[in-house]
Amino acid sequence: MTVLVTGGAGFIGANFIFYMLREHPDYRIVCIDKLTYAGNLSTLKPVESNGNFRFERLDICDRQGIYRLFQEEKPDIVVNFAAESHVDRSIDDPSVFLQTNIIGTSVLMDACREYGIKRFHQVGTDEVYGDLPLDRPDLFFTEQTPLRASSPYSSSKASADMIAMAYHRTYGLPVTISRCSNNYGPYQFPEKLIPLMIANALADKPLPVYGDGLNVRDWLYVEDHCRAIDLILHNGRPGEVYNVGGHNEMSNISIVRLILGELGKPESLITYVTDRKGHDRRYAIDPAKIHAELGWLPETKFADGIKKTVRWYLDNREWWETIISGEYRNYYEKMYGNR
């Protein structure tokens, strides 16, 4: 079985590759990544010598390159993690999000139609549903919740989901989609909330918190997400959407205070900053469908997962410090420049 993983040098994609090579050691994993600012090839160092792993620097919008790779590798499964994903960046420049997240997804599905695959899996986000009110804890996102995207990022992801379903209905492409809540864990890019707060706290720098800090997210340990995708690939029904969430709702300010407590740092480091434009108040996923159909439930409690995550960033300072310094971008040239 050959699995093509796009965006595999990013946070969730890389963790998925580690998971698949461990759980399915006979599978061949082909990873492509454009290596934009958030793609870090050094993240894949633990598997780069694995004989069942191949990496190629490639943009999913490059139709000629994608078709060539499909001809060479003949993948059985395609898992599309490749996406511009930072909301703040989408507000500053929406165009690159539309190009990668919409056009790039369509290029991949065209290649799947041309060369034939057993499954195309689109990795989505719960942000396509918009947000929920803080005073209605009884409300959750289900797969039937209307799409009501708030940002250019979430709008582009909603568009990609709709195109994927259109390819399923029109061309019979075996598509599945997962929409997951906020992930956390090892190898997350330091601009995201949890690693940013850890890095700033360790440096005794201010911890910037948007608005009142009461925005609520549903947090899921990244390995639990990887396991959910694996189950969907092998047992999920084509044409279906599966919500993946942890029933771990936490406000941003609670997360920040918890991290400060773990690191023994004072709450005086917290600095409230002007809120993000159109900032969604609450996300909460109902994962009843994936539990009922595939037996999935999250295995990592947040209290345990956040301790493991903080410990990983303490033990792997070189990884994120090279990102903050910008040196991580030199790794590709070091590894592949003369090949």
Side-chain angles (χ1 to χ4, degrees), residues 57-74:
R57 187 174 190 172
L58 186 61
D59 184 349
I60 61 171
C61 296
D62 178 357
R63 186 175 295 271
Q64 183 176 355
I66 292 295
Y67 278 41
R68 171 189 54 77
L69 188 72
F70 270 70
Q71 284 182 320
E72 291 174 3
E73 293 289 349
K74 299 176 175 58

Side-chain angles (χ1 to χ4, degrees), residues 16 58 68 114 132 209 258 313:
F16 179 72
L58 186 61
R68 171 189 54 77
E114 181 76 18
L132 297 167
V209 175
L258 197 156
Y313 280 92

Side-chain angles (χ1 to χ4, degrees), residues 88 197 206-213 270-276 279:
D88 289 341
M197 297 302 151
L207 276 60
V209 175
Y210 280 132
D212 57 13
I270 296 172
T271 302
Y272 293 93
V273 299
T274 303
D275 206 357
R276 170 192 288 160
H279 199 179

Side-chain angles (χ1 to χ4, degrees), residues 52-339:
N52 283 338
F53 175 73
R54 172 190 174 184
F55 174 83
E56 179 165 335
R57 187 174 190 172
L58 186 61
D59 184 349
I60 61 171
C61 296
D62 178 357
R63 186 175 295 271
Q64 183 176 355
I66 292 295
Y67 278 41
R68 171 189 54 77
L69 188 72
F70 270 70
Q71 284 182 320
E72 291 174 3
E73 293 289 349
K74 299 176 175 58
D76 301 286
I77 294 172
V78 177
V79 185
N80 184 28
F81 290 94
E84 297 285 345
S85 65
H86 196 257
V87 176
D88 289 341
R89 291 176 183 266
S90 81
I91 293 170
D92 289 338
D93 181 12
S95 61
V96 66
F97 286 73
L98 306 183
Q99 183 69 22
T100 297
N101 298 356
I102 301 174
I103 302 303
T105 300
S106 70
V107 168
L108 289 172
M109 289 189 294
D110 284 341
C112 290
R113 289 181 56 220
E114 181 76 18
Y115 295 99
I117 47 106
K118 296 177 180 177
R119 178 65 57 87
F120 177 87
H121 184 75
Q122 174 70 7
V123 180
T125 171
D126 61 353
E127 294 192 38
V128 299
Y129 297 123
D131 64 353
L132 297 167
L134 291 178
D135 60 356
R136 289 293 307 276
D138 57 312
L139 295 180
F140 296 90
F141 297 139
T142 72
E143 290 81 1
Q144 285 72 46
T145 300
L147 303 188
R148 196 168 58 90
S150 303
S151 68
Y153 159 64
S154 56
S155 298
S156 67
K157 291 293 287 182
S159 300
D161 287 0
M162 294 180 74
I163 291 171
M165 280 304 176
Y167 271 64
H168 171 70
R169 290 190 62 177
T170 305
Y171 305 113
L173 193 69
V175 167
T176 46
I177 297 173
S178 57
R179 294 178 180 147
C180 192
S181 56
N182 282 35
N183 280 212
Y184 69 100
Y187 296 106
Q188 190 169 26
F189 199 75
E191 72 182 356
K192 299 291 188 175
L193 177 69
I194 289 176
L196 175 64
M197 297 302 151
I198 293 172
N200 281 20
L202 289 173
D204 294 311
K205 294 169 61 177
L207 276 60
V209 175
Y210 280 132
D212 57 13
L214 297 179
N215 304 74
V216 169
R217 300 294 182 262
D218 177 18
W219 293 90
L220 183 70
Y221 193 64
V222 64
E223 188 167 299
D224 284 331
H225 185 190
C226 297
R227 185 167 48 84
I229 294 173
D230 186 23
L231 282 170
I232 295 168
L233 292 177
H234 292 93
N235 300 309
R237 291 180 292 137
E240 293 295 319
V241 175
Y242 294 90
N243 282 352
V244 184
H247 278 313
N248 263 317
E249 291 185 55
M250 299 279 289
S251 68
N252 288 347
I253 191 62
S254 296
I255 295 275
V256 173
R257 287 175 175 148
L258 197 156
I259 289 169
L260 289 171
E262 286 290 320
L263 296 174
K265 296 291 185 176
E267 291 190 11
S268 58
L269 290 174
I270 296 172
T271 302
Y272 293 93
V273 299
T274 303
D275 206 357
R276 170 192 288 160
K277 295 177 180 177
H279 199 179
D280 291 336
R281 291 300 276 174
R282 173 177 172 252
Y283 302 151
I285 274 185
D286 179 0
K289 178 178 177 178
I290 191 172
H291 173 58
E293 291 193 13
L294 306 180
W296 180 90
L297 283 174
E299 295 180 353
T300 307
K301 295 180 179 178
F302 186 80
D304 299 327
I306 195 66
K307 287 179 184 293
K308 286 198 295 185
T309 300
V310 170
R311 173 51 53 190
W312 188 90
Y313 280 92
L314 286 171
D315 293 342
N316 294 273
R317 292 183 68 130
E318 182 181 0
W319 180 85
W320 54 267
E321 285 176 345
T322 58
I323 292 176
I324 292 173
S325 70
E327 293 179 11
Y328 76 105
R329 293 187 175 220
N330 298 325
Y331 188 81
Y332 177 83
E333 291 303 323
K334 177 183 175 183
M335 293 301 299
Y336 292 91
N338 296 321
R339 295 186 182 184

